[in-house]
Amino acid sequence: MLEKLHSRKWLQLVLGTLIGFCFGFLLQRGGVTRYDFIMGQLLLYDWTVAKIILSAIATGMIGVYYMRSKGLARLHIKAGSVGATVVGGLIFGIGFGILGYCPGTMAGAVGQGSLDALFGGVVGMLIGAGFYARIYPFLSETILKTGDFGELTIPGLLGRRDPWPVIGYVCLGIIVFFIVLEAAGL
Amino acid sequence: MGDEQEKKSRQVRKNWIIIIGFLLMAALLVGATFGENAVVAQKVNGSLPEQQLNIWTMQRWSPYVVGILIGMLSWVSFLLSDKPLGVSTAYARTAGMVEEYFKGPSVRERPYYKQYVPKIGWEWMLVAGLVVGAFTSAILSGEFRLEVVPALWNETFGHTPFKRLLVALIGGIFMGLGARWADGCTSGHGISGTLQLVVSSWIALFCFFIGGVIAAFIIY
């Protein structure tokens, strides 16, 4: 682990900016900062978004787990529960479908000049996040606790210590999915 | 002895999976190159301008190439910054900063802002960089344009800027609420969480798309 590098505050802010720059460049070049591409995915006739997300998952997974096995990286696992993940995920999804951007692609859309993202989406998102902070004390005592499954990974769920078979199957599944998509001409 | 053998065979299997993984990636890249060849072929037919042949000025990269590069970017992020790529926390912190500006420091007493202190940090700079990166890409490919009404909206609902802004605002509110509720968005859960094989992230990604598809089909 590169703890020394991780603890250098200013350098980290610069790194964050550079990584963000690349991320924004890639999202824009991939087309997914455009409303039309996102809606095309959600209306199920343009699969660009799925292709990008799934190939990022496959690539990222192999590298991150490899670095972890060499002690160069550690995982950051988000805990979840039915009340938080499923309910929150569906609320997010509804907003996603109404707005036509997700938080990352919306920031990219602002960069390419989409004013509906800036004056509609970003403002709305800040209102939504602020509203959440207000109701959080109530939610955290009630619904967020419902059906808690904690910090769980798929290998953990299957009781496997070795994550590589799972990684292999997930990659395989993704590749098969791509082949199906391409064969269907999507 | 048996233990060691098992360890060894596990190591061998691991290495094989890594090799296969990289081969698959290479295959994807080759596929992407085929896509580019098609572009070149079109050029021969004279239907594509010069701009589309330069990698920096062409409008689109293959989604597979973009995805693979985003995956590699997440390696860099884990290695150098010990952080997964995630965007929505920055919005929550900004919401806190805006509230603090209007209401004063008492806002920080809210339990949620104690957890996510409203100040500029790594994720915030990530989003700032993201805006500039997208801007750079759009300028290079000549795609930058100020617009309120996206093409698809225009086709279906006509040129109705006010309506579009209002709908975007409503969608944004739901998304901001949901992103914090589910503790992540399409980046934090959808890419970074899923690539770590986190159960909650796979469920979240699934729910994002279910909700999104339902909303999209209701609107269109």
Side-chain angles (χ1 to χ4, degrees):
Chain A
M1 297 256 288
L2 309 166
E3 273 102 355
K4 243 189 186 155
L5 177 67
H6 300 158
S7 64
R8 294 182 61 180
K9 229 175 143 197
W10 280 100
L11 188 62
Q12 281 304 323
L13 292 184
V14 174
L15 275 173
T17 316
L18 289 176
I19 293 170
F21 182 92
C22 297
F23 196 21
F25 193 101
L26 289 168
L27 290 175
Q28 208 285 329
R29 212 32 86 88
V32 290
T33 54
R34 289 271 170 223
Y35 174 83
D36 306 354
F37 276 77
I38 303 260
M39 292 313 282
Q41 174 68 72
L42 294 179
L43 294 167
L44 306 175
Y45 63 77
D46 181 317
W47 288 75
T48 308
V49 176
K51 288 176 191 171
I52 291 180
I53 291 184
L54 292 172
S55 36
I57 292 173
T59 314
M61 187 162 58
I62 294 167
V64 168
Y65 268 96
Y66 183 71
M67 290 190 300
R68 177 177 175 250
S69 72
K70 298 285 172 211
L72 289 167
R74 63 190 179 103
L75 299 185
H76 296 264
I77 297 163
K78 287 184 177 186
S81 67
V82 174
T85 312
V86 176
V87 178
L90 289 173
I91 295 173
F92 179 98
I94 290 166
F96 182 34
I98 297 175
L99 171 59
Y101 302 107
C102 63
T105 55
M106 183 161 72
V110 171
Q112 74 187 3
S114 302
L115 298 174
D116 55 334
L118 178 60
F119 295 114
V122 174
V123 174
M125 178 117 185
L126 293 178
I127 295 171
F131 178 63
Y132 180 80
R134 209 164 274 229
I135 59 172
Y136 174 72
F138 166 72
L139 292 178
S140 65
E141 291 304 313
T142 50
I143 192 162
L144 297 185
K145 283 183 175 167
T146 313
D148 185 38
F149 45 82
E151 294 180 4
L152 188 64
T153 62
I154 296 172
L157 178 71
L158 300 174
R160 298 282 189 82
R161 282 183 66 198
D162 181 11
W164 289 101
V166 178
I167 293 171
Y169 282 120
V170 173
C171 283
L172 192 70
I174 288 174
I175 301 285
V176 169
F177 183 68
F178 285 161
I179 292 170
V180 170
L181 275 185
E182 295 297 337
L186 286 166
Chain B
M1 191 66 187
D3 235 24
E4 208 163 290
Q5 214 160 19
E6 197 196 12
K7 218 171 154 186
K8 212 172 167 187
S9 75
R10 198 186 295 160
Q11 188 62 43
V12 169
R13 202 168 63 205
K14 211 187 250 180
N15 288 341
W16 268 111
I17 289 171
I18 289 166
I19 290 165
I20 291 168
F22 281 104
L23 282 177
L24 288 177
M25 271 165 53
L28 284 180
L29 281 172
V30 170
T33 323
F34 268 112
E36 258 192 84
N37 278 349
V39 171
V40 174
Q42 263 180 300
K43 203 256 171 171
V44 174
N45 296 333
S47 58
L48 270 180
E50 197 67 39
Q51 182 218 5
Q52 293 299 334
L53 292 171
N54 179 317
I55 194 166
W56 298 110
T57 55
M58 66 196 285
Q59 258 178 3
R60 292 280 166 262
W61 289 354
S62 151
Y64 299 117
V65 173
V66 169
I68 289 170
L69 290 174
I70 290 175
M72 290 177 168
L73 191 64
S74 77
W75 304 351
V76 176
S77 180
F78 269 93
L79 182 69
L80 300 183
S81 290
D82 189 29
K83 298 251 191 210
L85 295 172
V87 171
S88 59
T89 324
Y91 287 94
R93 292 188 203 271
T94 310
M97 284 189 262
V98 173
E99 261 193 277
E100 196 180 2
Y101 180 79
F102 286 111
K103 291 193 187 142
S106 66
V107 166
R108 290 199 182 208
E109 295 303 309
R110 293 219 175 104
Y112 195 71
Y113 291 137
K114 281 192 171 161
Q115 211 175 322
Y116 294 96
V117 182
K119 62 175 191 191
I120 290 173
W122 189 90
E123 291 101 343
W124 208 90
M125 295 313 292
L126 182 86
V127 177
L130 207 163
V131 175
V132 182
F135 173 75
T136 310
S137 166
I139 288 285
L140 282 176
S141 65
E143 262 216 325
F144 183 86
R145 56 173 188 267
L146 292 176
E147 67 169 28
V148 177
V149 182
L152 179 66
W153 180 282
N154 209 356
E155 271 167 38
T156 321
F157 304 109
H159 188 76
T160 45
F162 181 73
K163 217 166 145 191
R164 168 64 193 145
L165 283 179
L166 188 71
V167 168
L169 182 79
I170 294 167
I173 293 172
F174 273 98
M175 204 170 72
L177 178 67
R180 296 334 298 154
W181 196 310
D183 192 24
C185 62
T186 341
S187 328
H189 267 315
I191 295 176
S192 303
T194 48
L195 73 82
Q196 299 177 74
L197 296 170
V198 177
V199 171
S200 67
S201 297
W202 280 96
I203 296 174
L205 181 61
F206 202 66
C207 292
F208 293 166
F209 277 90
I210 300 230
V213 167
I214 292 172
F217 273 96
I218 290 174
I219 292 176
Y220 281 91

